[in-house]
């Protein structure tokens, strides 16, 4: 039986009394649109918050990441607290939030506006709790996590930050209890099918190729790629888009897919098979089938027995939540690939959605903040070192 | 016209001029003022929670610019009152206070009673249905008063799809403003035509002014307030602030008709009071609107009688709570 972590009751009470500050930040953050590559306004708001609370050297870097440092007593070590700024919602989607007794709702609130709100509230909360750590805490609100963003913000930060990083603690809005500590081998791919219309006639379209039908053939072909159970590999066909009207043969269509595996070699093999399928189906139909891969992550992670993972799980359990361990496809892929011990934790219970009706429950937020501060404290005391 | 243009240049602000919260706080403390925020409500459960949480955390806890936030409710049947209490606002049911003054219902009633129930030297009124709530809605309204002692009342205006000119919107009321209010102002109170959105529900004023005003309890409260302030103290005490955009639900034209019916009563009343047009007497307080039912037209009539509250300074209970101060 593991010895539970002591939860500081004084902190718990104080953090509970400060919940509204987090909720205020949540409303402010959520209402600033931040689709991937267009996070600048949100970055500027975060920078303002970092400056208001007195973080040293607060700045926006070339990738629009916002960085600020809470200096420790001796600054010999540093932990990075990160949260991605971008949401999956375009700027023309209504980003206004609604809040009732138990929950807040709004586009992107669960991925990752609450994570950002927690990140920008933490320096203030730590100061109000009058906690002084030995190590530096580096707050990093990062950009370009979603889709074609390909974790560029985090990548840029990790590659360019001038000081050694000892730990990364990534904050996601949901779900409390998660302790992501490893990433699978993964890659995202976009297939575009373009049908060139014959020059000599365009009449009824009976004779023309149709991009949707070609993609349908491709999908059938992709489904024939052998997938092993050990090591596990999966191919997800996540999204298709194309077409103009009822009566026009579709001239262009796209397909988004995602491959993940426990083994990097398996991923490579599937990438090759997908390329082959595209060439086969493209030539058979006389159309262009372009495939591009991005978001390629190597399998990396911490062992379950790593003290950072063990400690995080103990804290989650002590606070009365069920620890959840699953492969992560979040920002920790980048620091883990550099062998920096990293985990992702969630602030509260909620639901992410591709529709603008994400929600987060308000009740667990103070415990979500408390688990982060408790873990930082344990890291500071050296309890998470190998 | 020149005077009006001068006023527009001198008294039209943008909220961004007042986004230095520390500066506002220092200014407020230097003047030794208390500032209260009143949110008048009737079934605003969808937006009230986040309005309170945001304004409380930003403007009471982070920067203590506001001394109190109060919801004054007209008898909501949804969860407005419960949500407001849960998120830490003071909550008053309008009908339970100043009962000796008789019973009246309407947004203006809540605004009037706020003078009695709240403590501030400055009262900020913000509608409770703002979807894109932001501290600018408060700071933009109190800023002009904190930095300029001559300004006693500030009105908000917002984004409408109208051309901008050097950062200031050259027009931009809603439908009732452009079709009813501005033509009436042009004919009888041309000095007030510079007010871009006379009907906006966001404004702030010194208690010392507000307590001396009659308050229409219904649709006419904003129009009556503006005309009265102008008549008593002149245009120079009034300012307006561009609050950028305000997202809220749009009203049906039919509803706007009823609103106009109420506002017109307030307007005729002001004409009688200030322009000696005693001959105007309203003959009918029923708004007649033609509707269709099963393809048959019919006339729907709704009684809309604008009642007014006397100036709060004439109410004995108020005088007891806020004894008159020497000028």
């Amino acid at each position: 039986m593991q010895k539970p972590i002591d939860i500081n009751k004084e902190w718990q009470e104080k953090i509970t009394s400060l919940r509204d500050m987090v909720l205020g930040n949540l409303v402010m953050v959520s209402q600033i649109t931040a689709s991937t590559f267009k996070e600048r306004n949100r970055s500027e708001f975060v920078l303002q918050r970092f400056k208001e609370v007195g973080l040293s050297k607060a700045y926006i870097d070339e990738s629009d990441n916002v960085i600020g440092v809470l200096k420790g007593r001796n600054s010999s070590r540093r932990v990075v607290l990160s949260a991605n700024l971008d949401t999956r919602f375009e700027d023309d989607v209504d980003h206004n939030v609604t809040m009732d007794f138990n929950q807040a709702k709004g586009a992107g609130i669960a991925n990752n506006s609450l994570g950002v709100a927690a990140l920008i509230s933490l320096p203030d909360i730590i100061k109000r709790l009058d906690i002084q750590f030995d190590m530096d805490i580096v707050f990093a609100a990062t950009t370009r996590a979603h889709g074609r963003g390909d974790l560029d913000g985090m990548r840029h930060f990790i590659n360019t930050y001038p000081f050694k990083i000892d730990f990364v603690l990534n904050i996601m809005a949901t779900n409390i209890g998660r302790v992501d500590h490893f990433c699978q081998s993964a890659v995202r791919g976009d297939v575009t099918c373009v049908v060139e219309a014959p020059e000599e006639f365009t009449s009824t379209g009976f004779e023309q190729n149709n991009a949707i039908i070609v993609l349908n053939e491709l999908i059938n072909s992709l489904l024939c790629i052998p997938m092993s159970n050990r090591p596990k590999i999966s191919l997800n066909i996540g999204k298709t888009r194309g077409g103009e009207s009822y009566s026009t043969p579709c001239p262009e269509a796209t397909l988004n897919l995602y491959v993940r595996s426990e083994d990097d070699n398996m991923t490579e093999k599937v990438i090759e098979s997908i390329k082959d399928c595209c060439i086969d189906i493209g030539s058979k139909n006389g159309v262009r089938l372009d495939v591009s891969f991005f978001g390629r992550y190597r399998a990396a992670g911490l062992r379950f027995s790593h003290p950072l993972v063990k400690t995080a799980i103990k804290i989650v359990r002590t606070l009365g939540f069920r620890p959840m361990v699953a492969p992560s496809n979040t920002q920790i892929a980048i620091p883990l690939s550099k062998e920096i011990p990293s985990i992702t934790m969630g602030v509260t219970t909620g639901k992410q959605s591709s529709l603008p009706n994400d929600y987060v429950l308000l009740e667990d937020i103070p415990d979500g903040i408390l688990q982060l501060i408790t873990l930082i404290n344990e890291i500071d005391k050296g309890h998470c070192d190998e | 016209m020149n005077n009006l243009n001068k006023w527009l240049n001198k008294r039209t602000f943008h909220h961004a001029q007042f986004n230095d919260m520390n500066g506002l706080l220092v200014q407020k403390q230097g003047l030794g003022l208390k500032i209260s925020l009143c949110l008048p409500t009737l079934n605003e459960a969808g937006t009230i929670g986040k309005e309170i949480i945001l304004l409380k955390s930003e403007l009471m806890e982070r920067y203590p610019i506001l001394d109190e936030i109060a919801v004054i409710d007209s008898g909501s049947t949804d969860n407005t009152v419960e949500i407001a209490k849960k998120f830490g606002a003071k909550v008053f049911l309008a009908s339970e206070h100043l009962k000796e003054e008789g019973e009246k219902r309407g947004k203006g009633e809540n605004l009037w009673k706020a003078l009695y129930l709240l403590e501030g030297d400055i009262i900020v009124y913000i509608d409770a249905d703002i979807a894109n709530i932001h501290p600018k809605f408060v700071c933009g309204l109190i800023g002009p008063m904190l930095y300029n002692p001559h300004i006693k009342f500030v009105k908000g205006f917002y984004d409408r799809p109208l051309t901008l000119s050097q950062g200031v919107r050259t027009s931009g009321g809603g439908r009732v403003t452009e079709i009813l209010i501005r033509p009436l102002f042009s004919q009888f109170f041309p000095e007030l035509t510079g007010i871009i959105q006379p009907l906006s529900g966001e404004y702030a004023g010194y208690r010392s002014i507000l307590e001396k005003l009659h308050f229409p309890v219904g649709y006419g409260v904003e129009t009556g307030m503006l005309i009265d302030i102008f008549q008593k103290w002149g245009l120079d005490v009034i300012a307006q602030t561009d609050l950028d955009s305000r997202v809220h639900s749009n009203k049906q034209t039919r509803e706007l008709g009823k609103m106009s019916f109420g506002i017109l009563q307030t307007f005729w009343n002001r004409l009688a009071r200030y322009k000696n047009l005693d001959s105007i007497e309203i003959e009918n307080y029923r708004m007649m609107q033609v509707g269709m039912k099963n393809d048959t037209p019919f006339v729907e009539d709704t009684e809309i009688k604008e009642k007014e509250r006397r100036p709060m300074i004439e109410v004995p209970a108020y005088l007891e709570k806020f004894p008159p101060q020497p000028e």
Side-chain angles (χ1 to χ4, degrees):
Chain A
M1 184 73 181
Q2 291 171 356
K3 184 173 173 266
I5 299 268
D6 289 332
I7 296 298
N8 186 318
K9 294 288 173 197
E10 220 173 287
W11 292 359
Q12 193 163 30
E13 274 173 33
K14 184 79 178 165
I15 291 169
T16 302
S17 75
L18 292 171
R19 185 192 71 163
D20 289 359
M21 182 176 81
V22 184
L23 297 184
N25 277 329
L26 174 61
V27 177
M28 293 287 278
V29 168
S30 303
Q31 296 187 168
I32 304 170
T33 59
S35 55
T36 306
F37 297 108
K38 292 183 194 165
E39 304 94 341
R40 183 73 192 191
N41 289 342
R42 207 175 263 204
S43 298
E44 282 172 3
F45 172 70
V46 170
L47 179 66
Q48 181 198 326
R49 279 289 190 256
F50 282 178
K51 285 183 173 172
E52 281 171 346
V53 76
L55 293 188
S56 61
K57 296 174 192 162
Y59 65 97
I60 296 180
D61 72 11
E62 299 86 342
S63 292
D64 286 346
N65 297 316
V66 197
I67 323 293
V69 181
L70 185 63
K71 297 295 284 180
R73 275 188 288 248
N74 63 36
S75 300
S76 58
R77 285 153 38 103
R78 57 194 57 78
V79 60
V80 169
L81 296 193
S82 66
N84 66 289
L85 286 167
D86 54 332
T87 74
R88 290 174 299 184
F89 296 95
E90 292 302 322
D91 296 358
D92 57 359
V93 172
D94 182 359
H95 276 65
N96 294 310
V97 173
T98 59
M99 202 175 276
D100 62 18
F101 296 112
N102 309 313
Q103 63 181 11
K105 271 188 197 168
I109 207 164
N111 188 0
N112 187 29
S113 301
L114 177 60
V116 176
L119 183 81
I120 62 178
S121 303
L122 273 163
D124 214 343
I125 293 172
I126 290 169
K127 285 192 169 184
R128 288 177 197 229
L129 294 176
D130 205 18
I131 308 172
Q132 177 79 53
F133 294 115
D134 283 335
M135 62 184 182
D136 285 354
I137 302 176
V138 181
F139 293 87
T142 55
T143 55
R144 305 172 198 172
H146 294 294
R148 282 284 181 174
D150 198 12
L151 304 183
D152 261 0
M154 179 60 105
R155 184 176 293 108
H156 180 82
F157 167 70
I158 292 289
N159 288 339
T160 58
Y161 193 67
F163 302 103
K164 180 176 178 286
I165 296 166
D166 296 284
F167 295 93
V168 173
L169 177 48
N170 184 53
I171 307 170
M172 287 296 291
T174 59
N175 272 312
I176 191 165
R178 75 191 279 184
V179 182
D180 300 355
H181 57 94
F182 63 97
C183 306
Q184 291 178 320
S185 170
V187 68
R188 293 171 194 164
D190 287 349
V191 181
T192 306
C193 176
V194 181
V195 173
E196 306 285 351
E199 281 175 14
E200 57 271 30
F201 65 95
T202 55
S203 59
T204 60
F206 283 130
E207 303 83 356
Q208 292 179 30
N209 258 323
N210 183 317
I212 291 174
I213 292 171
V214 176
L215 275 192
N216 182 51
E217 270 188 60
L218 177 68
I219 290 169
N220 288 334
S221 169
L222 295 177
L223 292 175
C224 294
I225 297 173
M227 298 283 154
S228 81
N229 265 332
R230 290 291 180 276
K232 278 185 192 163
I233 185 159
S234 70
L235 165 62
N236 183 56
I237 295 164
K239 189 171 174 181
T240 60
R241 202 169 14 199
E244 289 175 350
S245 71
Y246 288 99
S247 57
T248 316
C250 172
E252 184 171 336
T254 59
L255 174 70
N256 304 151
L257 45 84
Y258 183 59
V259 179
R260 62 178 176 173
S261 165
E262 293 170 345
D263 183 275
D264 282 322
N265 292 330
M266 290 295 299
T267 308
E268 291 301 328
K269 278 184 192 164
V270 171
I271 288 174
E272 288 310 311
S273 302
I274 293 170
K275 285 180 185 169
D276 290 345
C277 290
C278 288
I279 293 168
D280 273 355
I281 304 294
S283 3
K284 204 169 104 187
N285 288 280
V287 300
R288 253 181 40 223
L289 263 180
D290 298 324
V291 60
S292 66
F293 290 97
F294 61 101
R296 175 76 176 95
Y297 304 112
R298 307 282 160 187
L302 301 178
R303 296 182 319 281
F304 186 77
S305 59
H306 191 285
L308 179 65
V309 180
K310 287 279 199 197
T311 308
I313 286 174
K314 272 191 213 173
I315 292 170
V316 164
R317 197 167 273 146
T318 307
L319 284 169
F321 297 96
R322 192 166 60 88
M324 290 177 281
V325 177
S328 179
N329 55 0
T330 63
Q331 307 212 94
I332 57 170
I334 305 293
L336 282 174
S337 70
K338 304 271 183 189
E339 299 186 347
I340 300 170
S342 309
I343 59 171
T344 290
M345 298 184 87
V347 179
T348 188
T349 307
K351 185 166 176 271
Q352 297 178 24
S353 169
S354 55
L355 301 171
N357 58 1
D358 283 20
Y359 73 85
V360 292
L361 300 185
L362 307 185
E363 190 185 348
D364 294 336
I365 290 174
D367 279 342
I369 301 288
L370 178 63
Q371 68 171 348
L372 297 169
I373 294 178
T374 307
L375 182 58
I376 296 166
N377 192 44
E378 293 295 311
I379 294 172
D380 194 50
K381 288 195 272 183
H383 295 171
C384 298
D385 297 341
E386 278 220 288
Chain B
M1 192 61 79
N2 270 346
N3 282 344
L4 188 53
N5 281 327
K6 271 186 201 164
W7 176 85
L8 270 169
N9 281 327
K10 199 170 62 164
R11 291 284 188 256
T12 303
F13 301 92
H14 188 273
H15 72 83
Q17 291 172 258
F18 309 105
N19 62 10
D20 171 10
M21 306 285 214
N22 272 321
L24 283 178
L25 184 57
V26 167
Q27 202 66 18
K28 174 207 163 187
Q29 287 166 341
L31 292 168
L33 294 172
K34 271 189 179 176
I35 303 178
S36 300
L37 171 66
C38 166
L39 302 166
T41 56
L42 177 62
N43 296 330
E44 307 290 1
T47 45
I48 192 68
K50 77 166 185 177
E51 279 206 20
I52 293 169
I53 208 87
L54 180 80
L55 297 173
K56 187 166 151 253
S57 74
E58 293 296 308
L59 299 178
M60 287 184 79
E61 286 157 14
R62 190 178 295 277
Y63 300 99
I65 289 170
L66 291 176
D67 295 278
E68 62 182 335
I69 296 178
V71 163
I72 304 192
D73 189 71
S74 300
S76 293
T77 50
D78 62 6
N79 288 326
T80 301
V81 166
E82 291 76 14
I83 292 173
K85 281 181 185 165
K86 178 171 169 92
F87 287 121
K90 292 181 181 176
V91 179
F92 301 100
L93 195 56
S95 59
E96 288 177 355
H97 300 274
L98 294 178
K99 284 183 176 172
E100 64 277 15
E101 293 294 308
E103 195 182 330
K104 291 185 171 56
R105 264 192 94 181
K107 179 185 161 188
E109 176 79 351
N110 298 13
L111 306 185
W112 182 69
K113 286 187 174 170
L115 295 173
Y116 172 72
L117 294 166
L118 306 192
E119 303 288 334
D121 304 294
I122 288 176
I123 311 287
V124 185
Y125 296 113
I126 303 270
D127 277 349
D129 65 343
I130 304 175
N132 60 331
I133 189 66
H134 189 278
K136 70 184 178 188
F137 284 95
V138 172
C139 299
L141 295 176
I142 59 174
M145 286 187 283
L146 294 182
Y147 286 104
N148 185 332
H150 299 295
I151 298 172
K152 302 292 182 194
F153 183 80
V154 182
K155 193 93 185 159
F157 67 96
Y158 333 98
D159 191 19
R160 298 270 175 174
L162 290 170
T163 316
L164 305 183
S165 167
Q166 296 176 336
V168 174
R169 294 175 172 84
T170 53
S171 185
R175 284 167 285 175
V176 176
T177 293
E178 299 306 334
I179 292 167
L180 179 74
I181 304 293
R182 213 177 301 286
L184 284 172
F185 277 175
S186 299
Q187 288 180 25
F188 297 101
F189 303 99
E191 295 87 346
L192 291 175
T193 51
I195 308 281
I196 293 170
Q197 276 171 352
L199 298 181
S200 84
E202 285 67 44
Y203 38 91
Y206 273 92
R207 172 183 294 277
S208 55
I209 277 198
L210 299 171
E211 67 185 3
K212 297 183 181 77
L213 301 177
H214 287 83
F215 271 64
V217 301
Y219 296 114
V221 63
E222 281 87 14
T223 316
M225 201 180 270
L226 269 178
I227 296 173
D228 290 352
I229 292 173
F230 166 66
Q231 286 295 133
K232 286 177 199 285
W233 293 281
L235 192 60
D236 214 39
V237 303
I238 303 174
Q240 60 186 348
T241 301
D242 183 346
L243 299 173
D244 276 349
S245 65
R246 179 202 194 284
V247 180
H248 61 125
S249 53
N250 206 16
K251 286 195 170 72
Q252 299 286 332
T253 306
R254 204 173 177 80
E255 281 306 302
L256 298 182
K258 289 175 184 161
M259 185 177 175
S260 300
F261 189 89
I263 290 172
L264 271 173
Q265 292 175 41
T266 302
F267 206 87
W268 303 142
N269 183 299
R270 291 324 184 253
L271 284 185
R273 188 179 300 163
Y274 299 122
K275 304 287 183 185
N276 299 319
L277 297 178
D278 290 336
S279 58
I280 294 178
E281 200 162 313
I282 298 165
E283 293 176 3
N284 173 35
Y285 286 99
R286 303 191 80 80
M287 173 68 178
M288 321 292 267
Q289 290 173 306
V290 178
M292 295 288 280
K293 200 171 187 181
N294 301 330
D295 293 335
T296 311
F298 73 101
V299 173
E300 178 193 56
D301 66 310
T302 316
E303 188 181 71
I304 302 169
K305 192 163 187 181
E306 279 287 314
K307 295 168 186 164
E308 296 213 8
R309 286 297 193 179
R310 59 178 167 167
M312 189 55 93
I313 202 161
E314 295 173 13
V315 174
Y318 179 80
L319 286 171
E320 200 174 309
K321 189 173 175 189
F322 298 96
Q325 301 293 313
E327 290 290 329

